[in-house]
Amino acid sequence: MSVTAPPSALRRRTGIAAGAALLALAATGCSGLGRTAVGPVSYTTGQDGVVTVHSPSVKGCHTMGPGGASKVDNRTLVDMILYTTRDCSGRGTAYVATTLSDTNAPRALPWRSYSFVH
């Protein structure tokens, strides 16, 4: 004895499987396009000027002004890493979680770049 599903049930299952496959392809195809760290990053320069960058890209290294920054506010939805170099490399980093800040000691090197943890 064999049991088979009615044709309408088979079409529904096939449609659901095809829809799930298309959704998965669309999600992976668009995931890297224009991803931003939703929210602002603000930093204070050596001349007490405040620079605000709204929703920067989560990819790559972001440089700060020529003099660097003494205070950084991460008001994005993504954690960030601060660097004392202009190319997001080397030692002397600081991890700043989302919605937190970092202030350098008066004699410390300024922050010169940042990247996001993604």
Side-chain angles (χ1 to χ4, degrees):
M1 178 174 170
S2 68
V3 178
T4 59
S8 62
L10 289 175
R11 277 192 297 261
R12 185 172 41 240
R13 287 183 195 154
T14 304
I16 290 171
L22 286 173
L23 182 61
L25 284 172
T28 57
C30 297
S31 65
L33 300 176
R35 258 187 79 201
T36 63
V38 177
V41 172
S42 298
Y43 55 90
T44 305
T45 64
Q47 298 81 21
D48 290 328
V50 176
V51 176
T52 302
V53 181
H54 293 280
S55 298
S57 171
V58 296
K59 293 183 178 181
C61 179
H62 304 275
T63 58
M64 297 181 188
S70 57
K71 180 181 181 200
V72 178
D73 293 317
N74 180 12
R75 300 290 177 236
T76 70
L77 300 177
V78 183
D79 297 351
M80 64 191 302
I81 300 174
L82 303 175
Y83 300 87
T84 57
T85 61
R86 297 194 55 75
D87 62 354
C88 295
S89 66
R91 305 177 97 167
T93 63
Y95 188 94
V96 182
T98 182
T99 70
L100 294 179
S101 301
D102 183 84
T103 304
N104 265 352
R107 294 185 184 186
L109 291 172
W111 302 119
R112 298 193 183 277
S113 61
Y114 62 94
S115 64
F116 289 99
V117 178
H118 60 96

